[in-house]
Amino acid sequence: MLDLFLQQTVNGLALGSTYALVALGLTLIFGVLLIPNFAHGEFYMVGAFLTYALVMAGLNFWLAMALGALAVIALGCLIDLVAFRPLRGAPPLSLMISALAASIILQQTATLIWTSEARTIPTPVTGVLRTPFFIVTWMQVVVMASLILSVAAIWAILNRTRLGLAIRATAQNHDAALLMGISMVQVRLATFAIGAALGAIAGALLGATFPIYPTMGVNPVLKAFVVLVLGGIGSLRGAVLGGLFLGLVEVMVAGYLSTELQDIGAFTLLVLVLLIRPQGFFGTAQVER
Amino acid sequence: MKALRMAAVCLTALGLTMAHAAPALTDEILIGELHPLTGPASFYGIPESRGIQLAVEEINAAGGVRVGDQSQMLRLMTEDDHSTPTAGVAALKKLRAADVRFIIGPLGSGVAPALFPIIDRDSGVTQIVDGTIAEGVTNGRNIFRNQAAVSQYDLAVADLFRSKKYASVAMMTDRFHAGFMGTQPALSETLKSLNATVAAEEYYKLGDTDFSAAMTKLVSLQPEVLLIRGYPAEGALITRQARQLGYEGQVVWEMVSPPSTVLKNISATEMEGVYNCIPPTTEDYIALGQDKALAFDKAYQAKFGTTPGELSTLSYDAVYILKAAFEKAGSTENEAVNAALAAMRPEDVPQLISGYVAHQDGRLFDDVGQVNLRGAVSIWQGEGWVPVPDLAG
């Protein structure tokens, strides 16, 4: 069985990249605005469906993905305006319920438009990379590369722009950022726009690998929350490494123990991390005053 | 004045209750149908529901059902079970509250076992199951099924293995599909008795997307056959991921899988040569040029503007089976209708499209209310499934 270890490791990294890609947008919104955005799964789903619709209408995949992401950015800002902004200062439970409501409304709307039948976006990159040690599809390579590019782009925005500085300041101390004259409207819009765009890109790329359907966002967003807990909420590095770690654990459990234990393994890991290191691998412990 | 107002309120409430219950008029027979009209299984459920609507309209247009010396019209009441047990039970209660005594459905292998204990104890209702293939959901008293049981699917798998003399198999089964999970041990034993080594039995669930870990393991064992039991979206994904990981053996599906759904998830080229082991479906009967199937297809397309689903003919047949039972019984009393169903022969229902084979005693349903609708092998060629009449070839 050890001869399969390298292949299973690559499988785990490929799966983990998909988790990390979804978790990136979620951790950004959660980290900056403290919104547990369950509707992030629907950004992912709408991104996939819009790309599918545009590709079916004859557009090039990459162009369709870009247009889909723009539409989902608009959707993200709308969701913030309608579902979250009126609840500023409300307890976290209210935000969570509002997020769940937005999620369900988007799922039902998608069902009305596209029906519940599963479909896959025609893949823009076909073929398989065969090496003496492992096999990986070119589309999986594209997903992994997109993860690296996304992280690099977010890092550049956060660390090399004034907007990024404002976002980081807000994430560190909301009240102090306000006192410094930072526009919260701008920060919210930018955070939701980046988060929604990441969700839409993840949806388009993964929709070319996995079936898409209106409730397709539910499971990935649950896994993304697991990733956030593993990696530490608000930590980009945590989202990436947490996602890769979760993918590896799931694949190793399925490959070496049993496929029936795959999800049990992931959620057992979640409980263990919560017990041993509640702030996650890369999160910082916070003291409530 | 106050008393008068109270009386008015009571009468209004009573009126609303009566309106909700909407009992059937004496010259009409109320039939309830339970299918998933929303949710992930709706692409099976909606075409089933439409098959029923079509049959009811045809029967009513032809003068209704002749019960004794009077004609009665059919009236349909549709409920959405979302293919979940909870919604299914709620929908059944709603139908019973409206005094529905004849029910067609459900589709879901999770729903039928939830309904079974309720209907089994209720002598005031007759059910024809037209969708689920789960075992143990009929009783031959008041619950009958005109769909195959999963064990009848398995017969086709055994036929294929017997004919091709496959030496080894790895199975991937949807572990939440009660039907497939129920027959997995028996099928495994059958295949072993046909000298096939069962190299591995792995599981997945509806909605899973990554099968790479299981596929890596299975591909390393190089079984001659990869048998996938479940639903088509996952079936397509498993097939694709197995091929990507270098699996070159024979892929065999055991699932109702409309080509339109399959092709939304995998290319026709990747599907070429995949076998499927299920009873013939609507598309098969149409492809075989069966007159009644062609007429059904034409009527369905004219009414709904789309092609029928794989299970539509079963639902259509179920309505005609009920009609024949009413006419044979000369009554709409459940006890009489049940007796007529139990004694029914395939030739009593000339409108049947599906290829039911009479049981040894000539009846349509056996003692537990199950039809004989044997699985057959088809192969994917070009853009869809093609029946394989001669397995030896």
Side-chain angles (χ1 to χ4, degrees), chain B residues 9 26 31 55 68 107 117 128 176 213 222 253-254 315 327 357 381 393:
Chain B
V9 168
T26 48
I31 294 179
L107 165 85
I128 297 190
F176 287 111
Q222 284 301 324
W253 285 18
E254 196 182 0
S315 308
E327 292 181 340
V357 177
Q381 282 178 357

Side-chain angles (χ1 to χ4, degrees), chain B residues 128-152:
Chain B
I128 297 190
V129 179
D130 63 341
T132 180
I133 57 172
E135 300 285 340
V137 296
T138 61
N139 60 17
R141 283 185 286 104
N142 64 334
I143 309 176
F144 302 83
R145 169 162 59 188
N146 71 320
Q147 160 69 304
V150 69
S151 54
Q152 292 171 314

